[in-house]
Amino acid sequence: MRLTRQTNYAMRILMYCAANNDRLSRIPEIAAAYSVSELFLFKILQPLVEHGLIETVRGRNGGVRLGRAAEAISLFDVVRVTEESFAMAECFENDAAECPLVDSCALNSALREALNAFFAVLSRHTIADLVAARPNVRNLLGIDMLVERRAPAA
């Protein structure tokens, strides 16, 4: 199974917000951190907002933040929101070609079992786990540099 680029960057947006949990994150900052276009990230943002994974704050000092605690957002939550299909084979689809084994196929059963195992593993890991796995994630994403630049001079 291969996840889409959209899912990959949805997780990255969430990781950025989790690492930057003390202030709002801005799409231009996130785009710069990952070297992708702002437009691409804005497209990914919509389903994350619709499903409560991200909150947006409008206005001049607006931005985005996690819609709930990073510990409460599983990787499965993200995949479920961003992936269109989990059909691993043609017979998983409703309009699949007719197969005489469709109701008793061992391949279909094995693939469903594999897919369920994949979902179970994703359900055990959270955005918080991904951020905690790299203690220097704020530095790697350039967040600390942004905070230093914004700090008022004493």
Side-chain angles (χ1 to χ4, degrees), residues 61-72:
N61 294 316
V64 297
R65 64 179 167 227
L66 294 180
R68 57 184 190 240
E71 297 81 9

Side-chain angles (χ1 to χ4, degrees), residues 9 17 19 21 27 29 32 44 46 62 70 75 85 91 97 101-102 105 108 114-115 123 128 134-135 144 149:
Y9 280 94
C17 290
N21 63 354
I27 294 302
E29 296 169 357
I44 294 169
Q46 185 179 355
L75 302 186
S85 172
C91 53
L101 301 177
V102 75
C105 179
N108 191 320
L115 187 60
S123 294
R134 290 277 182 251
D144 289 334
R149 268 190 261 146

Side-chain angles (χ1 to χ4, degrees), residues 33-141:
Y34 294 122
S35 300
V36 294
S37 80
E38 293 175 32
L39 182 61
F40 176 63
L41 294 185
F42 275 116
K43 289 179 183 177
I44 294 169
L45 210 55
Q46 185 179 355
L48 299 176
V49 171
E50 286 174 6
H51 289 88
L53 300 179
I54 289 279
E55 291 178 349
T56 59
V57 176
R58 294 184 181 266
R60 191 175 128 173
N61 294 316
V64 297
R65 64 179 167 227
L66 294 180
R68 57 184 190 240
E71 297 81 9
I73 302 174
S74 75
L75 302 186
F76 178 64
D77 293 335
V78 182
V79 168
R80 187 179 51 215
V81 165
T82 57
E83 291 292 321
E84 288 185 22
S85 172
F86 297 106
M88 294 180 69
E90 185 180 13
C91 53
F92 276 51
E93 298 171 4
N94 291 338
D95 58 349
E98 289 299 314
C99 174
L101 301 177
V102 75
D103 292 328
S104 61
C105 179
L107 173 61
N108 191 320
S109 176
L111 291 175
R112 284 194 194 284
E113 183 181 346
L115 187 60
N116 288 335
F118 177 66
F119 291 157
V121 170
L122 291 177
S123 294
R124 288 196 311 260
H125 297 277
T126 67
I127 296 298
D129 296 334
L130 298 181
V131 172
R134 290 277 182 251
N136 63 341
V137 71
R138 287 179 58 88
N139 187 43
L140 292 170
L141 293 172

